[in-house]
Amino acid sequence: MEFSEVLRRRRMIRHYSDRPLSPEVVERVLAAALRAPSAGFSQGWAFLALTDPADRARFWPFVPTRVEQTPTMQDAPLVVVPLAHKAAYLERYAEPDKGWQDRAEARWPAPYWHVDTGMAALLMLLTAVDEGLGACFFGIMPEHLGAFRAEFGVPDAYAPIGGITVGHRADEVPAQSNRVARRRRAVDDVVHRGHWGRHS
């Protein structure tokens, strides 16, 4: 698929069939995340991949609102939880070629561990589209994170940034609301050219 077509087709899909994914497709989606950029090539991320139905069933209680609003998300045969590892960045930038020996988090202009893990998540979303699949990124609310960590043995050093579902779209996926098209902001609304407020 042409990249421009991947971008055009990318949308959050919340309705899936229970048709399985081949192991090769699952591996391509997961491997795509490793091509994301990362500050200092820190690669401060990890990915909890849930393909076994029993493991996926253990996951859904931690996103009850998602289940309540779109129960067909539970039919997705792949759930991935991207995890950001801040310590990897602090350690990497304390190395001699970077020179921030104090490992101070305050030196960072933004939490790149979250930024980079988000970019890795986006590559999985785009790869799903390229494979002819649907995918969705969604949040795990803070009040559920502790229990989620305990259930899946996630170390405290790794911060879940959300969840991703991947699978075959349900046959009856609701059409995208006209409201979405109306709300999509135009390039000239968000791109400031040369100076804030200058759009042309």
Side-chain angles (χ1 to χ4, degrees):
M1 191 181 299
E2 291 289 333
F3 184 64
S4 59
E5 184 66 6
V6 170
L7 292 182
R8 189 187 71 77
R9 291 189 183 193
R10 199 225 54 80
R11 61 175 279 206
M12 297 301 186
I13 298 298
R14 297 175 174 85
H15 303 278
Y16 299 92
S17 76
D18 59 2
R19 184 176 154 200
L21 299 176
S22 73
E24 295 79 14
V25 167
V26 170
E27 292 309 310
R28 284 196 292 271
V29 169
L30 296 171
L34 306 184
R35 302 301 302 178
S38 66
F41 203 44
S42 301
Q43 304 170 86
W45 50 48
F47 307 95
L48 177 66
L50 307 175
T51 54
D52 186 276
D55 291 333
R56 296 196 315 268
R58 291 164 52 215
F59 169 78
W60 290 109
F62 304 110
V63 285
T65 303
R66 185 78 277 141
V67 170
E68 179 183 331
Q69 292 176 352
T70 48
T72 51
M73 283 187 75
Q74 297 171 92
D75 293 328
L78 173 61
V79 175
V80 183
V81 179
L83 305 147
H85 188 208
K86 176 173 65 176
Y89 289 77
L90 302 184
E91 292 296 325
R92 171 68 184 97
Y93 275 76
E95 293 177 10
D97 64 319
K98 296 298 182 184
W100 293 356
Q101 286 132 6
D102 58 6
R103 295 172 174 77
E105 187 177 341
R107 291 183 182 275
W108 291 82
Y112 277 45
W113 38 94
H114 291 146
V115 173
D116 293 349
T117 306
M119 288 193 279
L122 179 58
L123 289 186
M124 286 189 276
L125 297 177
L126 294 176
T127 301
V129 175
D130 193 48
E131 294 283 346
L133 302 169
C136 184
F137 181 89
F138 53 94
I140 303 172
M141 299 307 289
E143 60 267 27
H144 299 294
L145 288 176
F148 164 79
R149 287 177 185 280
E151 178 67 27
F152 289 98
V154 176
D156 289 343
Y158 287 83
I161 68 161
I164 298 171
T165 46
V166 179
H168 294 277
R169 297 175 184 217
D171 291 336
E172 300 296 324
V173 174
Q176 192 169 40
S177 166
N178 289 336
R179 212 170 22 139
V180 173
R182 288 196 306 268
R183 290 183 57 210
R184 189 179 300 280
R185 298 174 71 187
V187 171
D188 284 344
D189 292 336
V190 296
V191 176
H192 303 265
R193 301 181 187 273
H195 190 83
W196 187 268
R198 189 183 300 153
H199 298 285
S200 59

